[in-house]
Amino acid sequence: MRNKIVLVIFTLLLISCNSKQGDNKVTHAENTKKEVTKDNNLKTKPVDSIQYQISTYDNPEDADQISKEKESLKRLSEKNIFLDIHNKLIQKINKEQQSFFQTNPDYELLSTAKGSLFQENSNDFVFIVYDKKNLKISILLYNGTTNTYAELYKDIKVVNGLKNADCNFYSFGTLDYQFANEFLVSNEEYLAKSTESYLEYKPVKITDISKDQDFILKDGCFAKNASKTNLANTLCFATSAVYNNWDCLRYNKTNNTFLIFYGQAFAD
């Protein structure tokens, strides 16, 4: 009888130990499953390695830098200097584009260009405007095929392919900021007297840079791995009011972005 009692107790202890080991195995399996799931999530999470430019006006790191420029732009607008430019340029675009500005009175037109930009034989426009509401220069693009407007940097991203291209020249700020600084703020006093000379110059164009006399490709700088053929449908912005300096962009319809793929500085 005594031996039976000992046997029963031993059997109960053995069952208890096996039960705890089973619980530990389940817990370990669950933890392992969680760890694997976590690792898989890390592996499958897409990593965006492309660095898009942020407009200088929208970059909080540049807030102090642009405050004075915004004050100058506001003064020029309040003196109706931008309105004078706007009224003269608006007459040179078609009625459809005129209607856009009539329904968007916060935009004062400061420069414009026309050409095939988004695809071959399309009827596209680029507009450089002063945004009275946000006290900044904006670059607007009209896609004639889709009949839509977009703002550069905001709606269509920009990649600076010249950043690591060993071009040996540098300018502060994105193209909207550079336009304001070079052609407006630096010439505030002159513009207050007359806008005629300003209107004679074309600081933005859609062109074939292999045929355009403003571009000296042998003295310029191409982004790494950038194609140097088929240079039509190129969007170019002058980056100096004194020198023959330009930055040129090419549209990629696959990911709806622009690449700054060519630049030239002091190429006179």
Side-chain angles (χ1 to χ4, degrees):
M1 181 67 179
R2 184 176 182 181
N3 290 337
K4 287 184 179 180
I5 294 174
V6 172
L7 181 60
V8 171
I9 294 174
F10 177 77
T11 302
L12 291 173
L13 289 173
L14 183 61
I15 293 173
S16 176
C17 289
N18 288 336
S19 177
K20 288 182 178 179
Q21 288 179 356
D23 291 342
N24 289 337
K25 288 180 180 179
V26 171
T27 303
H28 176 70
E30 290 179 349
N31 289 337
T32 303
K33 185 177 180 180
K34 290 179 181 178
E35 290 173 2
V36 170
T37 303
K38 183 178 180 181
D39 289 341
N40 287 339
N41 287 338
L42 290 174
K43 290 178 181 178
T44 58
K45 183 179 180 180
V47 177
D48 190 356
S49 60
I50 301 175
Q51 293 185 348
Y52 298 112
Q53 285 192 315
I54 300 174
S55 171
T56 304
Y57 291 108
D58 299 324
N59 192 339
E61 296 179 0
D62 300 322
D64 293 336
Q65 182 85 11
I66 67 173
S67 59
K68 290 184 178 180
E69 176 168 299
K70 283 191 170 185
E71 292 175 3
S72 295
L73 293 173
K74 185 179 179 182
R75 282 197 302 271
L76 286 164
S77 179
E78 290 176 342
K79 292 178 181 178
N80 292 328
I81 294 172
F82 290 163
L83 181 61
D84 177 58
I85 296 171
H86 172 94
N87 288 337
K88 292 175 180 177
L89 290 178
I90 203 76
Q91 300 174 24
K92 299 180 180 181
I93 60 178
N94 60 37
K95 291 184 178 180
E96 180 183 4
Q97 304 306 324
Q98 290 178 4
S99 177
F100 169 77
F101 285 98
Q102 290 170 358
T103 56
N104 292 274
D106 285 332
Y107 291 147
E108 292 182 316
L109 181 60
L110 300 178
S111 190
T112 182
K114 178 183 178 182
S116 298
L117 178 61
F118 292 100
Q119 65 181 48
E120 294 293 336
N121 302 318
S122 56
N123 189 23
D124 307 319
F125 286 87
V126 54
F127 302 111
I128 301 179
V129 303
Y130 174 63
D131 183 344
K132 292 188 290 184
K133 183 177 180 180
N134 296 298
L135 308 179
K136 68 172 188 174
I137 296 299
S138 293
I139 299 172
L140 307 180
L141 303 170
Y142 172 76
N143 187 325
T145 303
T146 60
N147 191 30
T148 56
Y149 295 86
E151 182 176 339
L152 198 64
Y153 301 111
K154 181 180 178 181
D155 303 311
I156 302 181
K157 302 297 184 182
V158 178
V159 179
N160 185 6
L162 303 181
K163 185 176 181 180
N164 300 313
D166 300 324
C167 294
N168 297 320
F169 59 84
Y170 169 80
S171 297
F172 172 78
T174 47
L175 293 168
D176 45 3
Y177 176 88
Q178 289 188 55
F179 172 84
N181 188 55
E182 284 290 328
F183 294 96
L184 304 174
V185 175
S186 298
N187 295 306
E188 181 177 354
E189 184 176 344
Y190 185 78
L191 285 171
K193 297 178 181 178
S194 174
T195 60
E196 293 304 319
S197 295
Y198 167 86
L199 288 165
E200 292 175 0
Y201 188 68
K202 302 295 184 183
V204 58
K205 61 173 69 178
I206 300 171
T207 186
D208 183 337
I209 62 174
S210 66
K211 300 176 181 179
D212 193 310
Q213 294 182 350
D214 280 333
F215 301 95
I216 308 172
L217 301 187
K218 65 181 180 64
D219 294 332
C221 178
F222 284 89
K224 292 181 179 179
N225 302 320
S227 173
K228 298 180 183 180
T229 60
N230 189 22
L231 299 176
N233 314 111
T234 301
L235 174 61
C236 295
F237 294 91
T239 56
S240 173
V242 179
Y243 300 100
N244 188 29
N245 297 359
W246 297 83
D247 277 2
C248 295
L249 300 83
R250 177 181 286 155
Y251 179 67
N252 185 340
K253 63 181 179 181
T254 302
N255 55 14
N256 191 37
T257 62
F258 274 99
L259 170 70
I260 303 179
F261 77 101
Y262 174 79
Q264 68 180 39
F266 314 113
D268 295 319

